[in-house]
Amino acid sequence: MKKGKIFLTLLLLAAVAGALALMKQNQDTRRGAAVAGATMSVVPEAKQTKKLGGELKYTVNFVLDNTNARVEAAQVKLCYSNHIEFKSVAGNKSAGFDAEAITAVTKVGDGDKVCTTVAFGSNGVTSDQLNKLKNAGNIFEMTFVAKKKTDGVKSITIDTTNGATVLGAYNPASDDKAITVRNVAGGKYEVTDGSAPSPTGSSPVPSGGPSVTPVCRLVWRIVRDGDWLDRKSNNTERAVGEGYCKEVKICDGDNQLMVIGQNYNTREECEAALKGGDAPVLNYKVSYRGVLPNDHACMVNWPMQVIVLSRGTTQVYNNVIPSEVIDVNEGETKKVVLKGSLVLTGFNYTDQVAVFFKGPKHLQMKYGVQNQSKNYDKAGGELVLTKNAATSPWYDFSNHPMLPGDVVSVLRTGPGGGEDSPQDGDINILDFSYVKSIVAKLETVPAGQNLKADLNGNCQANSADLYLLSKSLEEKQGQLY
């Protein structure tokens, strides 16, 4: 910001803060003045580690408990250590906010603490612009620069004391415009000088929580690119991309191998699948609704079920693990793409193919055309495959994500509730009740672990998961034909 604008900016910020404070004061004298409550979070919550000069990017997200309310103004106070320095901020125009913000950076008489206050308003008053206002999403993205080496892990926090952080509602029918910020969550960071970072705070383990013993198993996998079995012997005869079968010890949180296909019980099964030639190959890209880039530390090796269909013949493949997880964070497009290849052993068709994907917490979704972005409601499908992974088309279904929320089929009393209950192909009041009971406790697990009610894979069951489930409730049951 140019020096000539600093004084004006501070005046504007004071005006915004004063107006919001007065609005809050006036409404507090009236019964039922708050339109909604809100949960706010700094994303990603999991630790980011940067070397000196590196950039840390965070978004500030919100979820309202009143799905009829919408946010049109926000003032957010973020506090952090002086090891990082505020660089820039950009509003989320797709949620109705201005691209530019009023900002003020202040040093606090509390050790190395620094705070930045950011104020946004709606980016317009036309019906099209007001229709962008939402009850959940992100308000803005902030960029910080790593300036000094930290001694361990630090946090960015949202300050809600004395109305420092407040949201304003779009509510033309009433003077009630206050949204109460009830719950907040921060993000962790560490600045290093290039040496190995401290593991402290690398996993969001609750204070005093029990230690977790990893669950491990031996499986055979087809391995490609990197992690070669014979790397230590300097044998470089294999071509790049060529696969081989390897017995692998898989533990919770282990997602290091580039793999293709399923887990196999024996080497013979693995080698038979590797040879291919007689079986079509499905190259796919899919996604889960609600899983966000840089905020999915617990979406690790989520097993999928894949069903292929052609001319009335189906084949089922269980425990399919994608080979690659890709964060897409380009402008308004924010999603996590799961990429992999599946050898369709036992399936003989290469045309008129449809494929059904079902995640471990998701409805079954049908895909029948390339770049599908909505339900495919025809019988059969239009996919064409080959029997060679190199020539079979890559089908991108990631713009039509799998819907989260199918987690239980029955609720049980006692510890764990329905924790061991299977999916039932539907999202209903049983799923809602189960997720709500876990969200009420804000249960959290370490990175790489699985929490059944954690639908977005960020290692905590919170209101964002409940919101995702409620949105899925508006859609139909898993597709079956």
Side-chain angles (χ1 to χ4, degrees), residues 413-436:
T413 59
E419 190 67 30
D420 60 346
S421 173
Q423 297 171 277
D424 61 4
D426 190 15
I427 298 177
N428 52 38
I429 190 62
L430 295 176
D431 302 295
F432 186 85
S433 297
Y434 173 76
V435 173
K436 185 177 180 181

mmCIF file with all atom_site columns, all heavy atoms in Angstrom, residues 413-436:
data_model
loop_
_atom_site.group_PDB
_atom_site.id
_atom_site.type_symbol
_atom_site.label_atom_id
_atom_site.label_alt_id
_atom_site.label_comp_id
_atom_site.label_asym_id
_atom_site.label_entity_id
_atom_site.label_seq_id
_atom_site.pdbx_PDB_ins_code
_atom_site.Cartn_x
_atom_site.Cartn_y
_atom_site.Cartn_z
_atom_site.occupancy
_atom_site.B_iso_or_equiv
_atom_site.pdbx_formal_charge
_atom_site.auth_seq_id
_atom_site.auth_comp_id
_atom_site.auth_asym_id
_atom_site.auth_atom_id
_atom_site.pdbx_PDB_model_num
ATOM 1   N N   . THR A 1 413 ? -25.960 -47.515 20.973 1.00 0.00 ? 413 THR A N   1
ATOM 2   C CA  . THR A 1 413 ? -25.689 -46.798 22.219 1.00 0.00 ? 413 THR A CA  1
ATOM 3   C C   . THR A 1 413 ? -24.338 -47.229 22.749 1.00 0.00 ? 413 THR A C   1
ATOM 4   O O   . THR A 1 413 ? -23.775 -48.240 22.341 1.00 0.00 ? 413 THR A O   1
ATOM 5   C CB  . THR A 1 413 ? -26.778 -47.091 23.263 1.00 0.00 ? 413 THR A CB  1
ATOM 6   O OG1 . THR A 1 413 ? -26.819 -48.496 23.502 1.00 0.00 ? 413 THR A OG1 1
ATOM 7   C CG2 . THR A 1 413 ? -28.131 -46.618 22.764 1.00 0.00 ? 413 THR A CG2 1
ATOM 8   N N   . GLY A 1 414 ? -23.814 -46.436 23.640 1.00 0.00 ? 414 GLY A N   1
ATOM 9   C CA  . GLY A 1 414 ? -22.536 -46.781 24.255 1.00 0.00 ? 414 GLY A CA  1
ATOM 10  C C   . GLY A 1 414 ? -21.373 -46.142 23.533 1.00 0.00 ? 414 GLY A C   1
ATOM 11  O O   . GLY A 1 414 ? -21.538 -45.421 22.541 1.00 0.00 ? 414 GLY A O   1
ATOM 12  N N   . PRO A 1 415 ? -20.147 -46.400 24.006 1.00 0.00 ? 415 PRO A N   1
ATOM 13  C CA  . PRO A 1 415 ? -18.948 -45.794 23.419 1.00 0.00 ? 415 PRO A CA  1
ATOM 14  C C   . PRO A 1 415 ? -18.825 -46.125 21.938 1.00 0.00 ? 415 PRO A C   1
ATOM 15  O O   . PRO A 1 415 ? -19.043 -47.247 21.518 1.00 0.00 ? 415 PRO A O   1
ATOM 16  C CB  . PRO A 1 415 ? -17.802 -46.441 24.222 1.00 0.00 ? 415 PRO A CB  1
ATOM 17  C CG  . PRO A 1 415 ? -18.436 -46.872 25.500 1.00 0.00 ? 415 PRO A CG  1
ATOM 18  C CD  . PRO A 1 415 ? -19.839 -47.265 25.159 1.00 0.00 ? 415 PRO A CD  1
ATOM 19  N N   . GLY A 1 416 ? -18.488 -45.103 21.153 1.00 0.00 ? 416 GLY A N   1
ATOM 20  C CA  . GLY A 1 416 ? -18.296 -45.316 19.720 1.00 0.00 ? 416 GLY A CA  1
ATOM 21  C C   . GLY A 1 416 ? -19.545 -45.137 18.896 1.00 0.00 ? 416 GLY A C   1
ATOM 22  O O   . GLY A 1 416 ? -19.460 -44.912 17.690 1.00 0.00 ? 416 GLY A O   1
ATOM 23  N N   . GLY A 1 417 ? -20.730 -45.245 19.493 1.00 0.00 ? 417 GLY A N   1
ATOM 24  C CA  . GLY A 1 417 ? -21.964 -45.062 18.743 1.00 0.00 ? 417 GLY A CA  1
ATOM 25  C C   . GLY A 1 417 ? -22.041 -46.016 17.571 1.00 0.00 ? 417 GLY A C   1
ATOM 26  O O   . GLY A 1 417 ? -22.082 -47.223 17.733 1.00 0.00 ? 417 GLY A O   1
ATOM 27  N N   . GLY A 1 418 ? -22.046 -45.481 16.365 1.00 0.00 ? 418 GLY A N   1
ATOM 28  C CA  . GLY A 1 418 ? -22.106 -46.307 15.172 1.00 0.00 ? 418 GLY A CA  1
ATOM 29  C C   . GLY A 1 418 ? -20.765 -46.437 14.485 1.00 0.00 ? 418 GLY A C   1
ATOM 30  O O   . GLY A 1 418 ? -20.699 -46.607 13.277 1.00 0.00 ? 418 GLY A O   1
ATOM 31  N N   . GLU A 1 419 ? -19.682 -46.355 15.243 1.00 0.00 ? 419 GLU A N   1
ATOM 32  C CA  . GLU A 1 419 ? -18.337 -46.318 14.661 1.00 0.00 ? 419 GLU A CA  1
ATOM 33  C C   . GLU A 1 419 ? -18.060 -47.537 13.788 1.00 0.00 ? 419 GLU A C   1
ATOM 34  O O   . GLU A 1 419 ? -17.366 -47.448 12.793 1.00 0.00 ? 419 GLU A O   1
ATOM 35  C CB  . GLU A 1 419 ? -17.291 -46.225 15.779 1.00 0.00 ? 419 GLU A CB  1
ATOM 36  C CG  . GLU A 1 419 ? -15.877 -45.939 15.282 1.00 0.00 ? 419 GLU A CG  1
ATOM 37  C CD  . GLU A 1 419 ? -15.733 -44.560 14.668 1.00 0.00 ? 419 GLU A CD  1
ATOM 38  O OE1 . GLU A 1 419 ? -16.455 -43.632 15.067 1.00 0.00 ? 419 GLU A OE1 1
ATOM 39  O OE2 . GLU A 1 419 ? -14.896 -44.416 13.763 1.00 0.00 ? 419 GLU A OE2 1
ATOM 40  N N   . ASP A 1 420 ? -18.602 -48.709 14.168 1.00 0.00 ? 420 ASP A N   1
ATOM 41  C CA  . ASP A 1 420 ? -18.335 -49.910 13.393 1.00 0.00 ? 420 ASP A CA  1
ATOM 42  C C   . ASP A 1 420 ? -19.454 -50.238 12.416 1.00 0.00 ? 420 ASP A C   1
ATOM 43  O O   . ASP A 1 420 ? -19.471 -51.309 11.814 1.00 0.00 ? 420 ASP A O   1
ATOM 44  C CB  . ASP A 1 420 ? -18.106 -51.108 14.328 1.00 0.00 ? 420 ASP A CB  1
ATOM 45  C CG  . ASP A 1 420 ? -19.328 -51.393 15.209 1.00 0.00 ? 420 ASP A CG  1
ATOM 46  O OD1 . ASP A 1 420 ? -20.216 -50.531 15.292 1.00 0.00 ? 420 ASP A OD1 1
ATOM 47  O OD2 . ASP A 1 420 ? -19.371 -52.484 15.807 1.00 0.00 ? 420 ASP A OD2 1
ATOM 48  N N   . SER A 1 421 ? -20.394 -49.321 12.246 1.00 0.00 ? 421 SER A N   1
ATOM 49  C CA  . SER A 1 421 ? -21.519 -49.551 11.341 1.00 0.00 ? 421 SER A CA  1
ATOM 50  C C   . SER A 1 421 ? -21.090 -49.328 9.894  1.00 0.00 ? 421 SER A C   1
ATOM 51  O O   . SER A 1 421 ? -20.391 -48.364 9.585  1.00 0.00 ? 421 SER A O   1
ATOM 52  C CB  . SER A 1 421 ? -22.671 -48.611 11.698 1.00 0.00 ? 421 SER A CB  1
ATOM 53  O OG  . SER A 1 421 ? -23.710 -48.698 10.734 1.00 0.00 ? 421 SER A OG  1
ATOM 54  N N   . PRO A 1 422 ? -21.504 -50.182 8.952  1.00 0.00 ? 422 PRO A N   1
ATOM 55  C CA  . PRO A 1 422 ? -21.139 -49.999 7.545  1.00 0.00 ? 422 PRO A CA  1
ATOM 56  C C   . PRO A 1 422 ? -21.998 -48.940 6.863  1.00 0.00 ? 422 PRO A C   1
ATOM 57  O O   . PRO A 1 422 ? -22.979 -48.454 7.431  1.00 0.00 ? 422 PRO A O   1
ATOM 58  C CB  . PRO A 1 422 ? -21.401 -51.384 6.947  1.00 0.00 ? 422 PRO A CB  1
ATOM 59  C CG  . PRO A 1 422 ? -22.536 -51.922 7.783  1.00 0.00 ? 422 PRO A CG  1
ATOM 60  C CD  . PRO A 1 422 ? -22.280 -51.412 9.178  1.00 0.00 ? 422 PRO A CD  1
ATOM 61  N N   . GLN A 1 423 ? -21.627 -48.596 5.632  1.00 0.00 ? 423 GLN A N   1
ATOM 62  C CA  . GLN A 1 423 ? -22.442 -47.699 4.824  1.00 0.00 ? 423 GLN A CA  1
ATOM 63  C C   . GLN A 1 423 ? -23.684 -48.446 4.338  1.00 0.00 ? 423 GLN A C   1
ATOM 64  O O   . GLN A 1 423 ? -23.711 -49.677 4.290  1.00 0.00 ? 423 GLN A O   1
ATOM 65  C CB  . GLN A 1 423 ? -21.639 -47.202 3.614  1.00 0.00 ? 423 GLN A CB  1
ATOM 66  C CG  . GLN A 1 423 ? -20.422 -46.379 3.964  1.00 0.00 ? 423 GLN A CG  1
ATOM 67  C CD  . GLN A 1 423 ? -19.559 -46.110 2.742  1.00 0.00 ? 423 GLN A CD  1
ATOM 68  O OE1 . GLN A 1 423 ? -18.751 -46.938 2.353  1.00 0.00 ? 423 GLN A OE1 1
ATOM 69  N NE2 . GLN A 1 423 ? -19.731 -44.941 2.135  1.00 0.00 ? 423 GLN A NE2 1
ATOM 70  N N   . ASP A 1 424 ? -24.710 -47.664 3.947  1.00 0.00 ? 424 ASP A N   1
ATOM 71  C CA  . ASP A 1 424 ? -25.918 -48.302 3.429  1.00 0.00 ? 424 ASP A CA  1
ATOM 72  C C   . ASP A 1 424 ? -26.376 -47.728 2.101  1.00 0.00 ? 424 ASP A C   1
ATOM 73  O O   . ASP A 1 424 ? -27.477 -48.020 1.630  1.00 0.00 ? 424 ASP A O   1
ATOM 74  C CB  . ASP A 1 424 ? -27.054 -48.217 4.456  1.00 0.00 ? 424 ASP A CB  1
ATOM 75  C CG  . ASP A 1 424 ? -27.447 -46.776 4.796  1.00 0.00 ? 424 ASP A CG  1
ATOM 76  O OD1 . ASP A 1 424 ? -26.889 -45.834 4.180  1.00 0.00 ? 424 ASP A OD1 1
ATOM 77  O OD2 . ASP A 1 424 ? -28.301 -46.582 5.686  1.00 0.00 ? 424 ASP A OD2 1
ATOM 78  N N   . GLY A 1 425 ? -25.539 -46.889 1.458  1.00 0.00 ? 425 GLY A N   1
ATOM 79  C CA  . GLY A 1 425 ? -25.891 -46.363 0.145  1.00 0.00 ? 425 GLY A CA  1
ATOM 80  C C   . GLY A 1 425 ? -26.849 -45.191 0.176  1.00 0.00 ? 425 GLY A C   1
ATOM 81  O O   . GLY A 1 425 ? -27.393 -44.803 -0.863 1.00 0.00 ? 425 GLY A O   1
ATOM 82  N N   . ASP A 1 426 ? -27.064 -44.612 1.331  1.00 0.00 ? 426 ASP A N   1
ATOM 83  C CA  . ASP A 1 426 ? -27.993 -43.493 1.469  1.00 0.00 ? 426 ASP A CA  1
ATOM 84  C C   . ASP A 1 426 ? -27.444 -42.522 2.502  1.00 0.00 ? 426 ASP A C   1
ATOM 85  O O   . ASP A 1 426 ? -26.615 -42.882 3.337  1.00 0.00 ? 426 ASP A O   1
ATOM 86  C CB  . ASP A 1 426 ? -29.365 -44.011 1.917  1.00 0.00 ? 426 ASP A CB  1
ATOM 87  C CG  . ASP A 1 426 ? -30.454 -42.955 1.847  1.00 0.00 ? 426 ASP A CG  1
ATOM 88  O OD1 . ASP A 1 426 ? -30.219 -41.909 1.197  1.00 0.00 ? 426 ASP A OD1 1
ATOM 89  O OD2 . ASP A 1 426 ? -31.536 -43.177 2.426  1.00 0.00 ? 426 ASP A OD2 1
ATOM 90  N N   . ILE A 1 427 ? -27.895 -41.283 2.425  1.00 0.00 ? 427 ILE A N   1
ATOM 91  C CA  . ILE A 1 427 ? -27.577 -40.284 3.445  1.00 0.00 ? 427 ILE A CA  1
ATOM 92  C C   . ILE A 1 427 ? -28.892 -39.875 4.089  1.00 0.00 ? 427 ILE A C   1
ATOM 93  O O   . ILE A 1 427 ? -29.799 -39.378 3.403  1.00 0.00 ? 427 ILE A O   1
ATOM 94  C CB  . ILE A 1 427 ? -26.864 -39.061 2.840  1.00 0.00 ? 427 ILE A CB  1
ATOM 95  C CG1 . ILE A 1 427 ? -25.526 -39.483 2.225  1.00 0.00 ? 427 ILE A CG1 1
ATOM 96  C CG2 . ILE A 1 427 ? -26.616 -38.003 3.908  1.00 0.00 ? 427 ILE A CG2 1
ATOM 97  C CD1 . ILE A 1 427 ? -24.788 -38.346 1.527  1.00 0.00 ? 427 ILE A CD1 1
ATOM 98  N N   . ASN A 1 428 ? -29.013 -40.098 5.385  1.00 0.00 ? 428 ASN A N   1
ATOM 99  C CA  . ASN A 1 428 ? -30.295 -39.873 6.042  1.00 0.00 ? 428 ASN A CA  1
ATOM 100 C C   . ASN A 1 428 ? -30.070 -39.411 7.478  1.00 0.00 ? 428 ASN A C   1
ATOM 101 O O   . ASN A 1 428 ? -28.956 -39.047 7.858  1.00 0.00 ? 428 ASN A O   1
ATOM 102 C CB  . ASN A 1 428 ? -31.146 -41.144 5.994  1.00 0.00 ? 428 ASN A CB  1
ATOM 103 C CG  . ASN A 1 428 ? -30.385 -42.362 6.510  1.00 0.00 ? 428 ASN A CG  1
ATOM 104 O OD1 . ASN A 1 428 ? -29.613 -42.261 7.468  1.00 0.00 ? 428 ASN A OD1 1
ATOM 105 N ND2 . ASN A 1 428 ? -30.591 -43.517 5.881  1.00 0.00 ? 428 ASN A ND2 1
ATOM 106 N N   . ILE A 1 429 ? -31.139 -39.465 8.275  1.00 0.00 ? 429 ILE A N   1
ATOM 107 C CA  . ILE A 1 429 ? -31.084 -38.932 9.631  1.00 0.00 ? 429 ILE A CA  1
ATOM 108 C C   . ILE A 1 429 ? -30.114 -39.720 10.504 1.00 0.00 ? 429 ILE A C   1
ATOM 109 O O   . ILE A 1 429 ? -29.541 -39.180 11.459 1.00 0.00 ? 429 ILE A O   1
ATOM 110 C CB  . ILE A 1 429 ? -32.499 -38.936 10.261 1.00 0.00 ? 429 ILE A CB  1
ATOM 111 C CG1 . ILE A 1 429 ? -32.502 -38.158 11.580 1.00 0.00 ? 429 ILE A CG1 1
ATOM 112 C CG2 . ILE A 1 429 ? -33.001 -40.344 10.435 1.00 0.00 ? 429 ILE A CG2 1
ATOM 113 C CD1 . ILE A 1 429 ? -32.150 -36.693 11.426 1.00 0.00 ? 429 ILE A CD1 1
ATOM 114 N N   . LEU A 1 430 ? -29.871 -41.002 10.184 1.00 0.00 ? 430 LEU A N   1
ATOM 115 C CA  . LEU A 1 430 ? -28.911 -41.784 10.953 1.00 0.00 ? 430 LEU A CA  1
ATOM 116 C C   . LEU A 1 430 ? -27.502 -41.215 10.787 1.00 0.00 ? 430 LEU A C   1
ATOM 117 O O   . LEU A 1 430 ? -26.758 -41.062 11.759 1.00 0.00 ? 430 LEU A O   1
ATOM 118 C CB  . LEU A 1 430 ? -28.943 -43.245 10.524 1.00 0.00 ? 430 LEU A CB  1
ATOM 119 C CG  . LEU A 1 430 ? -30.242 -44.010 10.807 1.00 0.00 ? 430 LEU A CG  1
ATOM 120 C CD1 . LEU A 1 430 ? -30.151 -45.416 10.231 1.00 0.00 ? 430 LEU A CD1 1
ATOM 121 C CD2 . LEU A 1 430 ? -30.523 -44.061 12.299 1.00 0.00 ? 430 LEU A CD2 1
ATOM 122 N N   . ASP A 1 431 ? -27.137 -40.914 9.527  1.00 0.00 ? 431 ASP A N   1
ATOM 123 C CA  . ASP A 1 431 ? -25.823 -40.322 9.272  1.00 0.00 ? 431 ASP A CA  1
ATOM 124 C C   . ASP A 1 431 ? -25.718 -38.962 9.944  1.00 0.00 ? 431 ASP A C   1
ATOM 125 O O   . ASP A 1 431 ? -24.689 -38.622 10.557 1.00 0.00 ? 431 ASP A O   1
ATOM 126 C CB  . ASP A 1 431 ? -25.601 -40.184 7.764  1.00 0.00 ? 431 ASP A CB  1
ATOM 127 C CG  . ASP A 1 431 ? -25.711 -41.504 7.030  1.00 0.00 ? 431 ASP A CG  1
ATOM 128 O OD1 . ASP A 1 431 ? -24.872 -42.381 7.275  1.00 0.00 ? 431 ASP A OD1 1
ATOM 129 O OD2 . ASP A 1 431 ? -26.639 -41.650 6.233  1.00 0.00 ? 431 ASP A OD2 1
ATOM 130 N N   . PHE A 1 432 ? -26.785 -38.163 9.819  1.00 0.00 ? 432 PHE A N   1
ATOM 131 C CA  . PHE A 1 432 ? -26.774 -36.822 10.397 1.00 0.00 ? 432 PHE A CA  1
ATOM 132 C C   . PHE A 1 432 ? -26.617 -36.883 11.916 1.00 0.00 ? 432 PHE A C   1
ATOM 133 O O   . PHE A 1 432 ? -25.818 -36.142 12.496 1.00 0.00 ? 432 PHE A O   1
ATOM 134 C CB  . PHE A 1 432 ? -28.060 -36.080 10.028 1.00 0.00 ? 432 PHE A CB  1
ATOM 135 C CG  . PHE A 1 432 ? -28.073 -34.642 10.454 1.00 0.00 ? 432 PHE A CG  1
ATOM 136 C CD1 . PHE A 1 432 ? -27.512 -33.664 9.658  1.00 0.00 ? 432 PHE A CD1 1
ATOM 137 C CD2 . PHE A 1 432 ? -28.655 -34.259 11.648 1.00 0.00 ? 432 PHE A CD2 1
ATOM 138 C CE1 . PHE A 1 432 ? -27.513 -32.328 10.047 1.00 0.00 ? 432 PHE A CE1 1
ATOM 139 C CE2 . PHE A 1 432 ? -28.667 -32.932 12.053 1.00 0.00 ? 432 PHE A CE2 1
ATOM 140 C CZ  . PHE A 1 432 ? -28.093 -31.965 11.240 1.00 0.00 ? 432 PHE A CZ  1
ATOM 141 N N   . SER A 1 433 ? -27.354 -37.789 12.558 1.00 0.00 ? 433 SER A N   1
ATOM 142 C CA  . SER A 1 433 ? -27.287 -37.900 14.017 1.00 0.00 ? 433 SER A CA  1
ATOM 143 C C   . SER A 1 433 ? -25.898 -38.342 14.462 1.00 0.00 ? 433 SER A C   1
ATOM 144 O O   . SER A 1 433 ? -25.362 -37.834 15.455 1.00 0.00 ? 433 SER A O   1
ATOM 145 C CB  . SER A 1 433 ? -28.343 -38.894 14.517 1.00 0.00 ? 433 SER A CB  1
ATOM 146 O OG  . SER A 1 433 ? -29.643 -38.427 14.205 1.00 0.00 ? 433 SER A OG  1
ATOM 147 N N   . TYR A 1 434 ? -25.325 -39.292 13.727 1.00 0.00 ? 434 TYR A N   1
ATOM 148 C CA  . TYR A 1 434 ? -23.993 -39.777 14.106 1.00 0.00 ? 434 TYR A CA  1
ATOM 149 C C   . TYR A 1 434 ? -22.955 -38.669 13.978 1.00 0.00 ? 434 TYR A C   1
ATOM 150 O O   . TYR A 1 434 ? -22.182 -38.414 14.916 1.00 0.00 ? 434 TYR A O   1
ATOM 151 C CB  . TYR A 1 434 ? -23.596 -40.967 13.234 1.00 0.00 ? 434 TYR A CB  1
ATOM 152 C CG  . TYR A 1 434 ? -22.167 -41.392 13.468 1.00 0.00 ? 434 TYR A CG  1
ATOM 153 C CD1 . TYR A 1 434 ? -21.815 -42.110 14.603 1.00 0.00 ? 434 TYR A CD1 1
ATOM 154 C CD2 . TYR A 1 434 ? -21.164 -41.028 12.577 1.00 0.00 ? 434 TYR A CD2 1
ATOM 155 C CE1 . TYR A 1 434 ? -20.501 -42.470 14.849 1.00 0.00 ? 434 TYR A CE1 1
ATOM 156 C CE2 . TYR A 1 434 ? -19.847 -41.387 12.806 1.00 0.00 ? 434 TYR A CE2 1
ATOM 157 C CZ  . TYR A 1 434 ? -19.518 -42.105 13.941 1.00 0.00 ? 434 TYR A CZ  1
ATOM 158 O OH  . TYR A 1 434 ? -18.221 -42.449 14.182 1.00 0.00 ? 434 TYR A OH  1
ATOM 159 N N   . VAL A 1 435 ? -22.912 -38.003 12.813 1.00 0.00 ? 435 VAL A N   1
ATOM 160 C CA  . VAL A 1 435 ? -21.915 -36.957 12.607 1.00 0.00 ? 435 VAL A CA  1
ATOM 161 C C   . VAL A 1 435 ? -22.112 -35.826 13.609 1.00 0.00 ? 435 VAL A C   1
ATOM 162 O O   . VAL A 1 435 ? -21.157 -35.296 14.181 1.00 0.00 ? 435 VAL A O   1
ATOM 163 C CB  . VAL A 1 435 ? -21.973 -36.424 11.151 1.00 0.00 ? 435 VAL A CB  1
ATOM 164 C CG1 . VAL A 1 435 ? -21.058 -35.210 10.977 1.00 0.00 ? 435 VAL A CG1 1
ATOM 165 C CG2 . VAL A 1 435 ? -21.569 -37.527 10.177 1.00 0.00 ? 435 VAL A CG2 1
ATOM 166 N N   . LYS A 1 436 ? -23.369 -35.455 13.858 1.00 0.00 ? 436 LYS A N   1
ATOM 167 C CA  . LYS A 1 436 ? -23.649 -34.376 14.806 1.00 0.00 ? 436 LYS A CA  1
ATOM 168 C C   . LYS A 1 436 ? -23.129 -34.718 16.199 1.00 0.00 ? 436 LYS A C   1
ATOM 169 O O   . LYS A 1 436 ? -22.588 -33.852 16.909 1.00 0.00 ? 436 LYS A O   1
ATOM 170 C CB  . LYS A 1 436 ? -25.150 -34.104 14.856 1.00 0.00 ? 436 LYS A CB  1
ATOM 171 C CG  . LYS A 1 436 ? -25.535 -32.908 15.721 1.00 0.00 ? 436 LYS A CG  1
ATOM 172 C CD  . LYS A 1 436 ? -27.029 -32.652 15.676 1.00 0.00 ? 436 LYS A CD  1
ATOM 173 C CE  . LYS A 1 436 ? -27.406 -31.467 16.547 1.00 0.00 ? 436 LYS A CE  1
ATOM 174 N NZ  . LYS A 1 436 ? -28.877 -31.217 16.522 1.00 0.00 ? 436 LYS A NZ  1
#
